[in-house]
Structure formats: structure tokens, C-alpha cells
Amino acid sequence: MAQPDSRPARRRVTMLGLFAMAWTIGVADSFGYDNFGVFTTNQAGNLVVFAKAPWEDWPQASLAGLALLGAMIGVLAGTALSRWVTRWPGAGLAVPASLGTIGLIVAAGFTIEGSRPSWLVPVMSASTACMAAGWAQASSVKLWLTANTGGFLSTVRALGFPDATPGSAPRHRHLTTIANISALVLTAGFVSGVFMYGLGALDWPHPLVFAVIPAIAVSALAVRDELRGTGFLEPKPR
């Protein structure tokens, strides 16, 4: 008897996880920019702040530099962890996402009374980069959650020219479609997180508390669905 095709189910779960993680990134980036004036996920923006005449506004440039340093540490840690824990179901994503969640909860704890210590900038950057590295390493959709510019431009291209991608021969059209949908989902998740933050709907008890809820849910989903064989992690070679 033929087994049912699990690919549609895997795609749905993958896109749900991608949207949720991008939502987390959007909330964290909004909070970081609102409170520190630099980005905690969008490192392209921090490169501009850091490199544009830093001697004229060294305090701001130094915060951007700290964010970049935190992101570098986070991506190395997330990638290493994702590679080391592959023996456990779902851990390749769940462990980096959980570590990033802890970092964001720490940031929430230190800012809940309105204080804004500058060392929280690299902590938040490392946390979101760790999550992004875990997703890029373990997920079947190899996207950087923090690649907001690329996601946005890919979305615009997908809407205008759905087949405008290198190698769009018939045998590649399925991959092209998945890439376009992924870009749309990434952008929608990020923008919705930013929008909810801007509405003030996440102010109590703290925006970062709301931000980590999807990351925790995705971590649990990764473990559950890899055990079931219908999840969004990259299938292991048999």
C-alpha cells in the first residue's frame, strides 16, 4: 500500500515555523532599535551606523559595533551547537533557539523597569543571531531569519516575476516556488512582529516576553515533528 506523501505537511509546518521565528526577530529588532538606537538583528543597518563617520557620534557607533560583535558570537555559537546536537531529535534547531530565548529573557529582565544597560545590545544580537544560525543550519528552508533586506527584495521579485530566478527550467520550478513562498513568509512574519510592537500591543508585561513565545513553540514543534517525521528540519541521510 502506498504511503501518503508527507511533503505538503512538511511544507506547511516549515512555513508556520518560519513565520513564527521571523515574528520573534521583528519584535526583538523593534525593541532594540526603540531603546538603543541600533538594530539587534538587522546587521546591515549596524554596518552603516558603525562605518559612517564613527568619530562624529562614537557612542552610537560603539553600540552598533557591540551589536555586530554580538551577532558574530551568536552565529558561531548557534552553528556549532546545531552541528553538535544532531543526535537528539529536533535539537539542531531547538538548542540554538532555546539559548537565544534565554538571552532575550535576560534582556527583558534588565529592561522591565526602564533601565537600558549598553551590554544588553550584544546580548540581544547574539541571541537572535544564535536563533538564525540554528534555523539556517537545521531547517529544510535555508534562509537567514535576520536577512530582512534580502527577504523583502525577494518578496518584491516573487510578486512581480514569480519565475524570475536562476535555473528556472521546468525541473526547478518546484524549488523556485518554495523559495518565493519562503521569502513572502519571512517578510510577512518580520513585518507583523514590527507592526504588533508599534501598536503597543506587546508592552505588558514586556515585548521580549511576547517575542520568545513563538521561539519556544517552534523549538517544541521541531522536537515533536522530527519524532513524527513530518517536521520542518532537514531530513537526515539514511
Side-chain angles (χ1 to χ4, degrees):
M1 181 176 178
Q3 295 295 319
D5 187 357
S6 65
R7 286 176 296 180
R10 292 183 67 90
R11 286 196 294 270
R12 286 193 294 270
V13 175
T14 299
M15 295 307 158
L16 176 62
L18 178 59
F19 182 92
M21 293 297 289
W23 193 91
T24 293
I25 296 298
V27 175
D29 210 23
S30 300
F31 177 82
Y33 184 78
D34 207 20
N35 285 271
F36 300 102
V38 295
F39 300 98
T40 51
T41 70
N42 182 11
Q43 301 308 324
N46 288 329
L47 284 170
V48 173
V49 175
F50 182 72
K52 179 179 154 301
W55 54 86
E56 293 183 0
D57 190 359
W58 176 245
Q60 200 69 5
S62 63
L63 281 177
L66 286 173
L68 291 166
L69 178 63
M72 288 188 286
I73 294 171
V75 74
L76 292 174
T79 302
L81 286 169
S82 187
R83 290 182 172 184
W84 290 342
V85 297
T86 53
R87 70 183 69 180
W88 296 291
L93 175 59
V95 171
S98 298
L99 183 60
T101 294
I102 292 171
L104 292 181
I105 290 174
V106 168
F110 276 92
T111 58
I112 200 164
E113 297 298 331
S115 62
R116 294 184 296 177
S118 59
W119 59 266
L120 287 179
V121 170
V123 169
M124 290 182 63
S125 289
S127 300
T128 54
C130 188
M131 291 178 175
W135 179 274
Q137 179 70 25
S139 171
S140 57
V141 176
K142 303 300 184 186
L143 285 178
W144 281 98
L145 300 174
T146 55
N148 317 127
T149 301
F152 172 73
L153 295 180
S154 296
T155 298
V156 173
R157 186 181 70 168
L159 290 172
F161 301 95
D163 60 346
T165 191
S168 56
R171 61 193 175 90
H172 294 303
R173 281 178 185 160
H174 172 71
L175 296 176
T176 301
T177 302
I178 294 301
N180 288 341
I181 292 173
S182 300
L184 287 164
V185 171
L186 175 66
T187 301
F190 180 82
V191 170
S192 64
V194 174
F195 183 71
M196 290 297 292
Y197 176 87
L199 286 178
L202 312 179
D203 288 348
W204 191 89
H206 196 284
L208 294 182
V209 172
F210 285 101
V212 301
I213 292 173
I216 294 171
V218 169
S219 298
L221 199 63
V223 174
R224 188 202 71 171
D225 282 10
E226 189 169 350
L227 288 171
R228 292 184 176 183
T230 59
F232 47 81
L233 301 189
E234 187 171 40
K236 294 181 176 67
R238 297 185 180 277

